[in-house]
Amino acid sequence: MGIFGQMEQYGHEQLVFCYDRSTGLRAIIAIHDTTLGPALGGVRMWKYEREDDAVTDVLRLSRGMTYKNAAMGLNLGGGKAVIWADPRTEKSEALLRAFGKFVQSLGGRYITAEDVGTTVEDLTYVQMETRHAAGRAEASGDPSPVTAYGVFEGIKACARQVFGSEDLKDKKVAVQGLGKVGWALCGHLHEAGARLIVTDIHPELVDRAVREFGATPVAPAEIYGVACDIFAPCAMGAVLNDETIPQLKCRIVAGSANNQLKEPRHADMLRERSILYAPDFVINGGGVVNVAEEFHPVGYSRERALARVATIYDKLLRVFQIAEERNISTAQAAEVLAEERLQRIGQLSRLYVAE
Ligand code: NAD
Protein backbone atom coordinates (compact mmCIF):
# COMPACT_ATOMS: atom_id res chain seq x y z
CA MET A 1 0.00 0.00 0.00
CA GLY A 2 1.23 3.51 -0.79
CA ILE A 3 1.94 6.11 1.86
CA PHE A 4 -1.30 8.07 1.31
CA GLY A 5 -3.19 4.80 1.43
CA GLN A 6 -1.67 4.03 4.82
CA MET A 7 -2.38 7.57 6.07
CA GLU A 8 -5.98 7.26 4.94
CA GLN A 9 -6.42 3.83 6.49
CA TYR A 10 -5.19 4.89 9.92
CA GLY A 11 -6.27 8.55 9.86
CA HIS A 12 -2.89 10.29 9.91
CA GLU A 13 -2.76 14.04 9.39
CA GLN A 14 0.81 14.72 8.33
CA LEU A 15 4.03 12.94 7.48
CA VAL A 16 7.19 15.02 7.24
CA PHE A 17 10.36 13.73 5.60
CA CYS A 18 13.45 15.53 6.84
CA TYR A 19 16.85 15.36 5.16
CA ASP A 20 19.97 17.37 5.92
CA ARG A 21 22.92 16.96 3.61
CA SER A 22 25.61 18.20 6.00
CA THR A 23 24.81 15.75 8.83
CA GLY A 24 23.20 13.03 6.72
CA LEU A 25 20.06 13.27 8.88
CA ARG A 26 17.22 11.17 7.56
CA ALA A 27 14.19 11.55 9.80
CA ILE A 28 10.44 11.17 9.50
CA ILE A 29 7.95 12.95 11.74
CA ALA A 30 4.42 11.56 11.83
CA ILE A 31 1.52 13.52 13.22
CA HIS A 32 -1.40 11.19 13.63
CA ASP A 33 -4.13 13.22 15.31
CA THR A 34 -4.22 16.66 16.91
CA THR A 35 -7.84 16.65 18.09
CA LEU A 36 -6.75 16.91 21.72
CA GLY A 37 -3.73 19.16 21.27
CA PRO A 38 -0.19 19.19 19.87
CA ALA A 39 1.08 15.75 18.91
CA LEU A 40 3.46 14.45 21.57
CA GLY A 41 5.65 11.40 21.11
CA GLY A 42 9.30 10.47 21.38
CA VAL A 43 11.94 10.28 18.68
CA ARG A 44 13.25 6.80 18.00
CA MET A 45 16.71 6.28 16.52
CA TRP A 46 16.94 2.97 14.73
CA LYS A 47 18.90 1.46 11.85
CA TYR A 48 15.91 0.24 9.84
CA GLU A 49 16.70 -2.22 7.11
CA ARG A 50 14.56 -0.43 4.53
CA GLU A 51 12.97 3.00 4.13
CA ASP A 52 9.51 1.37 4.11
CA ASP A 53 10.17 -0.10 7.56
CA ALA A 54 10.86 3.37 8.94
CA VAL A 55 7.65 4.73 7.41
CA THR A 56 5.54 1.84 8.72
CA ASP A 57 7.07 2.14 12.18
CA VAL A 58 6.53 5.88 12.52
CA LEU A 59 2.93 5.60 11.29
CA ARG A 60 2.17 2.77 13.72
CA LEU A 61 3.91 4.41 16.68
CA SER A 62 2.32 7.84 16.18
CA ARG A 63 -1.16 6.30 16.09
CA GLY A 64 -0.38 4.45 19.30
CA MET A 65 0.50 7.79 20.91
CA THR A 66 -2.91 9.24 20.03
CA TYR A 67 -4.56 6.40 21.94
CA LYS A 68 -2.09 6.49 24.82
CA ASN A 69 -2.34 10.26 25.32
CA ALA A 70 -6.13 10.17 25.08
CA ALA A 71 -6.44 7.20 27.46
CA MET A 72 -4.24 9.05 29.97
CA GLY A 73 -6.65 12.01 29.86
CA LEU A 74 -4.03 14.37 28.42
CA ASN A 75 -4.69 17.36 26.20
CA LEU A 76 -2.18 16.07 23.69
CA GLY A 77 -2.48 14.48 20.29
CA GLY A 78 -0.41 11.61 18.94
CA GLY A 79 2.85 11.90 17.06
CA LYS A 80 6.21 10.23 16.79
CA ALA A 81 9.47 10.66 14.93
CA VAL A 82 12.13 8.27 13.73
CA ILE A 83 15.71 9.03 12.84
CA TRP A 84 17.01 6.44 10.42
CA ALA A 85 20.48 5.87 11.90
CA ASP A 86 22.40 3.57 14.21
CA PRO A 87 22.25 5.08 17.72
CA ARG A 88 25.58 3.47 18.69
CA THR A 89 27.65 4.76 15.79
CA GLU A 90 25.83 7.55 13.96
CA LYS A 91 24.62 9.84 16.73
CA SER A 92 26.15 13.31 16.92
CA GLU A 93 25.39 16.75 18.26
CA ALA A 94 24.95 18.12 14.73
CA LEU A 95 22.56 15.32 13.72
CA LEU A 96 20.38 15.83 16.79
CA ARG A 97 20.37 19.60 16.34
CA ALA A 98 19.41 19.23 12.68
CA PHE A 99 16.47 17.14 13.83
CA GLY A 100 15.61 19.84 16.38
CA LYS A 101 15.46 22.43 13.60
CA PHE A 102 12.89 20.37 11.71
CA VAL A 103 10.83 19.95 14.87
CA GLN A 104 10.91 23.72 15.40
CA SER A 105 9.78 24.28 11.80
CA LEU A 106 6.47 22.59 12.64
CA GLY A 107 5.61 25.45 14.99
CA GLY A 108 4.55 23.26 17.91
CA ARG A 109 2.27 20.85 16.03
CA TYR A 110 4.71 18.12 17.13
CA ILE A 111 6.48 17.90 20.50
CA THR A 112 9.36 15.49 20.70
CA ALA A 113 10.83 13.51 23.63
CA GLU A 114 13.19 10.58 24.21
CA ASP A 115 12.45 7.05 22.99
CA VAL A 116 14.30 3.87 22.05
CA GLY A 117 17.79 4.82 20.87
CA THR A 118 17.65 8.36 22.26
CA THR A 119 18.35 9.58 25.77
CA VAL A 120 17.46 12.49 27.98
CA GLU A 121 21.01 13.79 27.30
CA ASP A 122 20.42 13.64 23.51
CA LEU A 123 17.37 15.79 24.05
CA THR A 124 19.54 18.62 25.37
CA TYR A 125 21.00 18.96 21.84
CA VAL A 126 17.56 18.82 20.23
CA GLN A 127 16.43 21.53 22.64
CA MET A 128 19.17 23.86 21.46
CA GLU A 129 17.13 24.23 18.27
CA THR A 130 13.53 23.86 19.38
CA ARG A 131 11.18 24.84 22.18
CA HIS A 132 9.02 21.89 21.29
CA ALA A 133 10.87 19.14 23.15
CA ALA A 134 9.87 17.62 26.48
CA GLY A 135 11.54 15.22 28.89
CA ARG A 136 14.33 17.62 29.78
CA ALA A 137 17.03 16.32 32.13
CA GLU A 138 16.49 19.24 34.50
CA ALA A 139 12.69 18.80 34.48
CA SER A 140 10.88 15.44 34.28
CA GLY A 141 14.06 13.53 33.35
CA ASP A 142 14.13 9.75 32.82
CA PRO A 143 10.48 8.59 32.77
CA SER A 144 11.28 4.94 33.58
CA PRO A 145 10.78 5.01 37.39
CA VAL A 146 7.44 6.75 36.92
CA THR A 147 6.41 4.26 34.23
CA ALA A 148 7.31 1.43 36.63
CA TYR A 149 5.18 2.99 39.36
CA GLY A 150 2.21 3.16 36.95
CA VAL A 151 2.71 -0.49 35.97
CA PHE A 152 2.80 -1.44 39.65
CA GLU A 153 -0.49 0.40 40.31
CA GLY A 154 -1.93 -1.27 37.20
CA ILE A 155 -0.88 -4.73 38.41
CA LYS A 156 -2.68 -4.05 41.69
CA ALA A 157 -5.85 -3.13 39.78
CA CYS A 158 -5.58 -6.38 37.78
CA ALA A 159 -5.13 -8.36 41.01
CA ARG A 160 -8.24 -6.75 42.42
CA GLN A 161 -10.18 -7.64 39.29
CA VAL A 162 -9.04 -11.28 39.19
CA PHE A 163 -8.31 -12.23 42.80
CA GLY A 164 -10.68 -9.81 44.54
CA SER A 165 -7.80 -8.08 46.36
CA GLU A 166 -4.94 -5.83 45.32
CA ASP A 167 -2.68 -7.43 47.90
CA LEU A 168 0.34 -8.84 46.08
CA LYS A 169 1.87 -10.64 49.07
CA ASP A 170 3.06 -14.08 47.98
CA LYS A 171 1.72 -13.56 44.46
CA LYS A 172 4.10 -15.03 41.89
CA VAL A 173 5.08 -12.47 39.28
CA ALA A 174 7.20 -13.40 36.23
CA VAL A 175 9.08 -10.35 34.98
CA GLN A 176 10.55 -10.42 31.46
CA GLY A 177 13.30 -7.81 31.11
CA LEU A 178 15.23 -6.20 33.95
CA GLY A 179 15.99 -2.90 32.26
CA LYS A 180 15.08 0.57 33.43
CA VAL A 181 11.36 -0.16 33.92
CA GLY A 182 11.53 -3.88 34.74
CA TRP A 183 14.11 -3.34 37.47
CA ALA A 184 12.18 -0.53 39.16
CA LEU A 185 8.99 -2.61 38.91
CA CYS A 186 10.74 -5.53 40.65
CA GLY A 187 11.61 -3.14 43.49
CA HIS A 188 7.93 -2.22 44.00
CA LEU A 189 6.79 -5.84 43.73
CA HIS A 190 9.44 -7.07 46.14
CA GLU A 191 8.45 -4.42 48.65
CA ALA A 192 4.81 -5.51 48.32
CA GLY A 193 5.82 -9.08 49.22
CA ALA A 194 5.45 -10.62 45.76
CA ARG A 195 7.59 -13.61 44.76
CA LEU A 196 9.58 -12.83 41.66
CA ILE A 197 10.58 -15.04 38.75
CA VAL A 198 12.86 -13.13 36.39
CA THR A 199 14.65 -13.30 33.09
CA ASP A 200 16.84 -11.11 30.92
CA ILE A 201 19.29 -11.65 28.10
CA HIS A 202 21.93 -10.04 30.34
CA PRO A 203 22.83 -12.62 33.01
CA GLU A 204 24.39 -9.99 35.31
CA LEU A 205 20.98 -8.31 35.74
CA VAL A 206 19.39 -11.66 36.56
CA ASP A 207 22.12 -12.45 39.12
CA ARG A 208 21.56 -9.06 40.73
CA ALA A 209 17.79 -9.68 40.97
CA VAL A 210 18.46 -13.03 42.63
CA ARG A 211 20.72 -11.32 45.17
CA GLU A 212 18.63 -8.20 45.82
CA PHE A 213 15.08 -9.52 45.52
CA GLY A 214 15.51 -13.25 46.19
CA ALA A 215 14.13 -13.80 42.67
CA THR A 216 14.01 -17.18 40.93
CA PRO A 217 15.90 -17.00 37.61
CA VAL A 218 14.75 -18.64 34.38
CA ALA A 219 16.17 -18.69 30.84
CA PRO A 220 14.64 -16.10 28.43
CA ALA A 221 12.70 -18.71 26.44
CA GLU A 222 11.25 -20.28 29.60
CA ILE A 223 9.53 -17.21 31.01
CA TYR A 224 6.30 -17.79 29.05
CA GLY A 225 5.72 -21.26 30.49
CA VAL A 226 6.41 -20.61 34.19
CA ALA A 227 3.53 -21.20 36.57
CA CYS A 228 2.73 -17.79 38.05
CA ASP A 229 -0.13 -15.45 38.89
CA ILE A 230 1.05 -12.51 36.79
CA PHE A 231 3.26 -12.28 33.72
CA ALA A 232 4.85 -8.84 33.31
CA PRO A 233 6.45 -8.29 29.86
CA CYS A 234 8.96 -5.45 30.27
CA ALA A 235 11.31 -6.08 27.35
CA MET A 236 10.24 -6.02 23.73
CA GLY A 237 6.99 -6.00 21.71
CA ALA A 238 4.98 -8.76 19.99
CA VAL A 239 5.60 -11.18 22.86
CA LEU A 240 1.92 -12.20 22.97
CA ASN A 241 1.53 -14.36 19.89
CA ASP A 242 0.48 -17.78 18.57
CA GLU A 243 3.58 -19.46 20.01
CA THR A 244 3.64 -17.86 23.46
CA ILE A 245 -0.04 -17.56 24.47
CA PRO A 246 -0.64 -21.34 24.60
CA GLN A 247 2.37 -21.64 26.96
CA LEU A 248 1.13 -19.08 29.50
CA LYS A 249 0.23 -20.41 32.95
CA CYS A 250 -0.85 -17.11 34.50
CA ARG A 251 -4.12 -15.33 35.23
CA ILE A 252 -2.92 -11.83 34.34
CA VAL A 253 -0.62 -10.25 31.73
CA ALA A 254 0.42 -6.78 32.85
CA GLY A 255 3.74 -5.18 31.97
CA SER A 256 5.41 -2.11 30.49
CA ALA A 257 6.43 -3.30 27.02
CA ASN A 258 4.94 -1.41 24.09
CA ASN A 259 2.91 -3.27 21.45
CA GLN A 260 2.77 -6.53 23.38
CA LEU A 261 0.13 -8.09 21.12
CA LYS A 262 1.63 -9.32 17.87
CA GLU A 263 -1.77 -8.86 16.20
CA PRO A 264 -5.07 -7.49 17.57
CA ARG A 265 -6.60 -11.00 17.50
CA HIS A 266 -4.14 -12.09 20.19
CA ALA A 267 -6.19 -10.09 22.70
CA ASP A 268 -9.11 -12.44 21.94
CA MET A 269 -6.84 -15.44 22.31
CA LEU A 270 -5.94 -14.30 25.84
CA ARG A 271 -9.59 -13.71 26.62
CA GLU A 272 -10.52 -17.20 25.45
CA ARG A 273 -7.94 -18.55 27.86
CA SER A 274 -9.45 -16.41 30.69
CA ILE A 275 -6.22 -14.44 31.06
CA LEU A 276 -6.79 -10.79 31.96
CA TYR A 277 -4.73 -8.52 29.72
CA ALA A 278 -3.86 -5.00 30.89
CA PRO A 279 -3.68 -3.05 27.59
CA ASP A 280 -0.12 -1.81 27.20
CA PHE A 281 -0.88 1.77 26.26
CA VAL A 282 -2.90 2.23 29.44
CA ILE A 283 -0.68 0.46 31.97
CA ASN A 284 2.56 1.94 30.59
CA GLY A 285 1.22 5.49 30.20
CA GLY A 286 3.08 6.74 33.28
CA GLY A 287 6.06 7.83 31.21
CA VAL A 288 4.09 10.13 28.96
CA VAL A 289 2.09 11.53 31.87
CA ASN A 290 5.38 12.37 33.56
CA VAL A 291 6.67 14.19 30.47
CA ALA A 292 3.36 15.99 29.94
CA GLU A 293 3.57 17.43 33.46
CA GLU A 294 6.29 19.73 32.11
CA PHE A 295 3.51 21.70 30.39
CA HIS A 296 1.74 22.44 33.65
CA PRO A 297 1.40 26.24 34.10
CA VAL A 298 3.58 26.21 37.22
CA GLY A 299 6.12 23.75 35.83
CA TYR A 300 7.01 20.13 36.52
CA SER A 301 6.32 18.53 39.87
CA ARG A 302 7.20 14.89 40.56
CA GLU A 303 4.54 14.70 43.25
CA ARG A 304 1.80 15.82 40.88
CA ALA A 305 3.07 13.46 38.17
CA LEU A 306 2.96 10.46 40.51
CA ALA A 307 -0.54 11.37 41.72
CA ARG A 308 -1.72 11.48 38.12
CA VAL A 309 0.03 8.22 37.27
CA ALA A 310 -1.70 6.51 40.20
CA THR A 311 -5.01 6.99 38.32
CA ILE A 312 -3.88 4.20 35.98
CA TYR A 313 -5.40 1.94 38.65
CA ASP A 314 -8.91 3.36 38.11
CA LYS A 315 -8.46 3.68 34.36
CA LEU A 316 -7.78 -0.04 34.11
CA LEU A 317 -10.80 -0.89 36.26
CA ARG A 318 -12.86 1.24 33.87
CA VAL A 319 -11.36 -0.60 30.87
CA PHE A 320 -12.29 -3.95 32.45
CA GLN A 321 -15.81 -2.68 33.07
CA ILE A 322 -16.22 -1.55 29.43
CA ALA A 323 -14.91 -4.93 28.25
CA GLU A 324 -17.46 -6.78 30.39
CA GLU A 325 -20.39 -4.53 29.48
CA ARG A 326 -19.71 -4.72 25.74
CA ASN A 327 -18.41 -8.28 25.69
CA ILE A 328 -15.18 -7.21 23.97
CA SER A 329 -11.49 -7.74 24.72
CA THR A 330 -9.74 -5.42 27.15
CA ALA A 331 -7.57 -4.19 24.26
CA GLN A 332 -10.68 -3.09 22.36
CA ALA A 333 -12.12 -1.59 25.54
CA ALA A 334 -9.01 0.55 25.99
CA GLU A 335 -9.50 1.91 22.47
CA VAL A 336 -13.11 2.71 23.36
CA LEU A 337 -11.89 4.64 26.42
CA ALA A 338 -9.48 6.66 24.28
CA GLU A 339 -12.03 7.25 21.50
CA GLU A 340 -14.60 8.46 24.03
CA ARG A 341 -12.22 11.25 25.08
CA LEU A 342 -11.32 12.11 21.49
CA GLN A 343 -15.00 12.49 20.68
CA ARG A 344 -16.07 14.32 23.82
CA ILE A 345 -13.24 16.83 23.82
CA GLY A 346 -13.06 17.04 20.02
CA GLN A 347 -16.63 18.24 19.88
CA LEU A 348 -15.79 21.28 22.03
CA SER A 349 -14.30 22.95 18.96
CA ARG A 350 -17.94 23.49 17.85
CA LEU A 351 -18.17 26.28 20.42
CA TYR A 352 -16.98 29.61 19.09
CA VAL A 353 -14.97 31.73 21.46
CA ALA A 354 -13.45 35.05 20.34
CA GLU A 355 -9.67 35.16 20.80
P1 NAD B 1 15.47 -1.17 28.63
O1 NAD B 1 16.16 -1.26 27.34
O2 NAD B 1 16.10 -0.41 29.76
O3 NAD B 1 15.17 -2.63 29.20
C1 NAD B 1 14.77 -3.72 28.41
C2 NAD B 1 15.39 -4.97 29.03
O4 NAD B 1 14.86 -6.11 28.36
C3 NAD B 1 16.91 -5.02 28.89
O5 NAD B 1 17.51 -5.32 30.15
C4 NAD B 1 17.12 -6.16 27.89
O6 NAD B 1 18.34 -6.87 28.11
C5 NAD B 1 15.92 -7.03 28.16
N1 NAD B 1 15.57 -7.92 27.05
C6 NAD B 1 15.63 -7.67 25.73
N2 NAD B 1 15.23 -8.75 25.04
C7 NAD B 1 14.91 -9.69 25.95
C8 NAD B 1 14.44 -11.03 25.86
N3 NAD B 1 14.24 -11.62 24.68
N4 NAD B 1 14.19 -11.71 27.00
C9 NAD B 1 14.42 -11.13 28.20
N5 NAD B 1 14.88 -9.88 28.35
C10 NAD B 1 15.13 -9.16 27.24
O7 NAD B 1 14.01 -0.59 28.30
P2 NAD B 1 12.96 0.05 29.31
O8 NAD B 1 13.04 1.52 29.23
O9 NAD B 1 13.03 -0.65 30.63
O10 NAD B 1 11.59 -0.35 28.57
C11 NAD B 1 11.08 -1.66 28.62
C12 NAD B 1 9.82 -1.75 27.76
O11 NAD B 1 8.84 -0.83 28.26
C13 NAD B 1 10.03 -1.38 26.30
O12 NAD B 1 9.15 -2.16 25.51
C14 NAD B 1 9.61 0.08 26.23
O13 NAD B 1 9.18 0.45 24.94
C15 NAD B 1 8.45 0.06 27.20
N6 NAD B 1 8.17 1.39 27.79
C16 NAD B 1 9.13 2.05 28.50
C17 NAD B 1 8.84 3.29 29.05
C18 NAD B 1 9.87 4.04 29.85
O14 NAD B 1 9.49 5.00 30.56
N7 NAD B 1 11.15 3.65 29.82
C19 NAD B 1 7.56 3.85 28.90
C20 NAD B 1 6.59 3.15 28.18
C21 NAD B 1 6.91 1.92 27.64
Short mmCIF file of all heavy atoms in Angstrom, two decimals, residues 154-166 251-252 276 313 316-321 323-324 330:
data_model
loop_
_atom_site.label_atom_id
_atom_site.label_comp_id
_atom_site.label_asym_id
_atom_site.label_seq_id
_atom_site.Cartn_x
_atom_site.Cartn_y
_atom_site.Cartn_z
N GLY A 154 -1.09 -0.52 38.14
CA GLY A 154 -1.93 -1.27 37.20
C GLY A 154 -2.01 -2.75 37.57
O GLY A 154 -3.07 -3.37 37.47
N ILE A 155 -0.89 -3.31 38.01
CA ILE A 155 -0.88 -4.73 38.41
C ILE A 155 -1.81 -4.92 39.62
O ILE A 155 -2.55 -5.90 39.71
CB ILE A 155 0.57 -5.19 38.72
CG1 ILE A 155 1.34 -5.34 37.40
CG2 ILE A 155 0.58 -6.50 39.51
CD1 ILE A 155 2.80 -5.75 37.55
N LYS A 156 -1.80 -3.95 40.52
CA LYS A 156 -2.68 -4.05 41.69
C LYS A 156 -4.16 -4.03 41.26
O LYS A 156 -4.98 -4.78 41.78
CB LYS A 156 -2.40 -2.89 42.66
CG LYS A 156 -1.08 -3.06 43.41
CD LYS A 156 -0.98 -2.22 44.67
CE LYS A 156 -1.05 -0.76 44.42
NZ LYS A 156 -0.80 0.09 45.56
N ALA A 157 -4.47 -3.18 40.28
CA ALA A 157 -5.85 -3.13 39.78
C ALA A 157 -6.24 -4.47 39.15
O ALA A 157 -7.36 -4.97 39.34
CB ALA A 157 -6.00 -2.00 38.76
N CYS A 158 -5.31 -5.07 38.41
CA CYS A 158 -5.58 -6.38 37.78
C CYS A 158 -5.81 -7.43 38.86
O CYS A 158 -6.70 -8.28 38.74
CB CYS A 158 -4.40 -6.81 36.91
SG CYS A 158 -4.16 -5.78 35.47
N ALA A 159 -4.99 -7.38 39.92
CA ALA A 159 -5.13 -8.36 41.01
C ALA A 159 -6.50 -8.21 41.66
O ALA A 159 -7.17 -9.20 41.96
CB ALA A 159 -4.02 -8.16 42.04
N ARG A 160 -6.91 -6.97 41.83
CA ARG A 160 -8.24 -6.75 42.42
C ARG A 160 -9.34 -7.35 41.54
O ARG A 160 -10.27 -7.98 42.01
CB ARG A 160 -8.45 -5.24 42.60
CG ARG A 160 -9.83 -4.91 43.06
CD ARG A 160 -9.89 -3.49 43.52
NE ARG A 160 -11.23 -2.96 43.37
CZ ARG A 160 -11.57 -1.73 43.66
NH1 ARG A 160 -10.67 -0.90 44.12
NH2 ARG A 160 -12.80 -1.31 43.50
N GLN A 161 -9.18 -7.15 40.24
CA GLN A 161 -10.18 -7.64 39.29
C GLN A 161 -10.25 -9.18 39.29
O GLN A 161 -11.32 -9.76 39.26
CB GLN A 161 -9.81 -7.13 37.88
CG GLN A 161 -10.73 -7.56 36.78
CD GLN A 161 -12.03 -6.77 36.77
OE1 GLN A 161 -12.18 -5.79 37.51
NE2 GLN A 161 -12.97 -7.19 35.95
N VAL A 162 -9.08 -9.82 39.34
CA VAL A 162 -9.04 -11.28 39.19
C VAL A 162 -9.12 -12.02 40.52
O VAL A 162 -9.82 -13.02 40.65
CB VAL A 162 -7.75 -11.69 38.42
CG1 VAL A 162 -7.55 -13.19 38.42
CG2 VAL A 162 -7.81 -11.17 37.00
N PHE A 163 -8.38 -11.51 41.52
CA PHE A 163 -8.31 -12.23 42.80
C PHE A 163 -9.19 -11.60 43.88
O PHE A 163 -9.26 -12.11 45.00
CB PHE A 163 -6.86 -12.28 43.31
CG PHE A 163 -5.89 -12.83 42.31
CD1 PHE A 163 -4.82 -12.06 41.84
CD2 PHE A 163 -6.02 -14.12 41.82
CE1 PHE A 163 -3.93 -12.56 40.91
CE2 PHE A 163 -5.13 -14.64 40.88
CZ PHE A 163 -4.09 -13.85 40.42
N GLY A 164 -9.81 -10.47 43.56
CA GLY A 164 -10.68 -9.81 44.54
C GLY A 164 -9.93 -8.98 45.56
O GLY A 164 -10.54 -8.41 46.46
N SER A 165 -8.60 -8.90 45.43
CA SER A 165 -7.80 -8.08 46.36
C SER A 165 -6.55 -7.61 45.65
O SER A 165 -5.95 -8.35 44.86
CB SER A 165 -7.41 -8.93 47.57
OG SER A 165 -6.28 -8.35 48.21
N GLU A 166 -6.15 -6.37 45.96
CA GLU A 166 -4.94 -5.83 45.32
C GLU A 166 -3.67 -6.26 46.05
O GLU A 166 -2.57 -5.90 45.64
CB GLU A 166 -5.03 -4.31 45.24
CG GLU A 166 -5.07 -3.63 46.60
CD GLU A 166 -4.95 -2.12 46.51
OE1 GLU A 166 -5.70 -1.51 45.72
OE2 GLU A 166 -4.11 -1.56 47.23
N ARG A 251 -2.75 -15.84 35.30
CA ARG A 251 -4.12 -15.33 35.23
C ARG A 251 -4.16 -13.92 34.68
O ARG A 251 -5.20 -13.43 34.26
CB ARG A 251 -4.73 -15.33 36.65
CG ARG A 251 -4.79 -16.70 37.34
CD ARG A 251 -5.91 -17.57 36.80
NE ARG A 251 -7.21 -16.89 36.82
CZ ARG A 251 -7.99 -16.76 37.90
NH1 ARG A 251 -7.61 -17.28 39.04
NH2 ARG A 251 -9.15 -16.13 37.82
N ILE A 252 -2.99 -13.25 34.72
CA ILE A 252 -2.92 -11.83 34.34
C ILE A 252 -1.67 -11.59 33.49
O ILE A 252 -0.61 -12.13 33.81
CB ILE A 252 -2.83 -10.94 35.61
CG1 ILE A 252 -4.11 -11.05 36.45
CG2 ILE A 252 -2.51 -9.49 35.27
CD1 ILE A 252 -3.98 -10.46 37.86
N LEU A 276 -6.50 -12.23 32.02
CA LEU A 276 -6.79 -10.79 31.96
C LEU A 276 -5.59 -10.05 31.39
O LEU A 276 -4.48 -10.16 31.93
CB LEU A 276 -7.12 -10.25 33.36
CG LEU A 276 -7.48 -8.77 33.40
CD1 LEU A 276 -8.86 -8.51 32.80
CD2 LEU A 276 -7.41 -8.23 34.83
N TYR A 313 -4.65 2.96 37.91
CA TYR A 313 -5.40 1.94 38.65
C TYR A 313 -6.89 2.02 38.26
O TYR A 313 -7.49 1.04 37.81
CB TYR A 313 -5.20 2.19 40.15
CG TYR A 313 -5.81 1.18 41.08
CD1 TYR A 313 -5.00 0.25 41.74
CD2 TYR A 313 -7.18 1.15 41.34
CE1 TYR A 313 -5.56 -0.67 42.64
CE2 TYR A 313 -7.73 0.23 42.21
CZ TYR A 313 -6.91 -0.67 42.86
OH TYR A 313 -7.46 -1.58 43.73
N LEU A 316 -7.72 1.38 34.49
CA LEU A 316 -7.78 -0.04 34.11
C LEU A 316 -9.09 -0.67 34.58
O LEU A 316 -9.70 -1.45 33.85
CB LEU A 316 -6.58 -0.80 34.67
CG LEU A 316 -5.30 -0.66 33.84
CD1 LEU A 316 -4.13 -1.35 34.53
CD2 LEU A 316 -5.47 -1.26 32.44
N LEU A 317 -9.52 -0.33 35.78
CA LEU A 317 -10.80 -0.89 36.26
C LEU A 317 -11.93 -0.48 35.31
O LEU A 317 -12.82 -1.26 35.00
CB LEU A 317 -11.09 -0.43 37.69
CG LEU A 317 -10.17 -0.99 38.79
CD1 LEU A 317 -10.62 -0.49 40.15
CD2 LEU A 317 -10.13 -2.52 38.78
N ARG A 318 -11.85 0.76 34.82
CA ARG A 318 -12.86 1.24 33.87
C ARG A 318 -12.78 0.45 32.55
O ARG A 318 -13.80 0.07 31.97
CB ARG A 318 -12.64 2.74 33.63
CG ARG A 318 -13.49 3.36 32.57
CD ARG A 318 -14.90 3.69 33.04
NE ARG A 318 -15.73 4.12 31.93
CZ ARG A 318 -16.81 3.48 31.50
NH1 ARG A 318 -17.25 2.40 32.11
NH2 ARG A 318 -17.50 3.94 30.47
N VAL A 319 -11.55 0.20 32.10
CA VAL A 319 -11.36 -0.60 30.87
C VAL A 319 -11.99 -1.99 31.06
O VAL A 319 -12.70 -2.49 30.17
CB VAL A 319 -9.85 -0.74 30.55
CG1 VAL A 319 -9.58 -1.83 29.52
CG2 VAL A 319 -9.29 0.60 30.04
N PHE A 320 -11.75 -2.61 32.21
CA PHE A 320 -12.29 -3.95 32.45
C PHE A 320 -13.82 -3.91 32.47
O PHE A 320 -14.48 -4.83 31.99
CB PHE A 320 -11.75 -4.53 33.76
CG PHE A 320 -10.24 -4.61 33.81
CD1 PHE A 320 -9.55 -4.49 35.02
CD2 PHE A 320 -9.49 -4.80 32.65
CE1 PHE A 320 -8.16 -4.54 35.06
CE2 PHE A 320 -8.10 -4.85 32.69
CZ PHE A 320 -7.43 -4.72 33.88
N GLN A 321 -14.36 -2.82 33.01
CA GLN A 321 -15.81 -2.68 33.07
C GLN A 321 -16.39 -2.55 31.65
O GLN A 321 -17.37 -3.22 31.31
CB GLN A 321 -16.14 -1.42 33.88
CG GLN A 321 -17.59 -1.28 34.23
CD GLN A 321 -17.87 0.10 34.85
OE1 GLN A 321 -17.02 1.01 34.84
NE2 GLN A 321 -19.05 0.25 35.39
N ALA A 323 -15.08 -3.63 28.93
CA ALA A 323 -14.91 -4.93 28.25
C ALA A 323 -16.04 -5.88 28.65
O ALA A 323 -16.60 -6.58 27.78
CB ALA A 323 -13.55 -5.54 28.62
N GLU A 324 -16.38 -5.88 29.93
CA GLU A 324 -17.46 -6.78 30.39
C GLU A 324 -18.81 -6.35 29.83
O GLU A 324 -19.56 -7.17 29.30
CB GLU A 324 -17.51 -6.77 31.93
CG GLU A 324 -16.56 -7.79 32.53
CD GLU A 324 -16.45 -7.67 34.04
OE1 GLU A 324 -17.32 -7.03 34.67
OE2 GLU A 324 -15.48 -8.21 34.59
N THR A 330 -10.19 -6.59 26.41
CA THR A 330 -9.74 -5.42 27.15
C THR A 330 -8.96 -4.47 26.22
O THR A 330 -8.97 -3.25 26.42
CB THR A 330 -8.84 -5.82 28.33
OG1 THR A 330 -7.81 -6.68 27.85
CG2 THR A 330 -9.65 -6.53 29.41
#
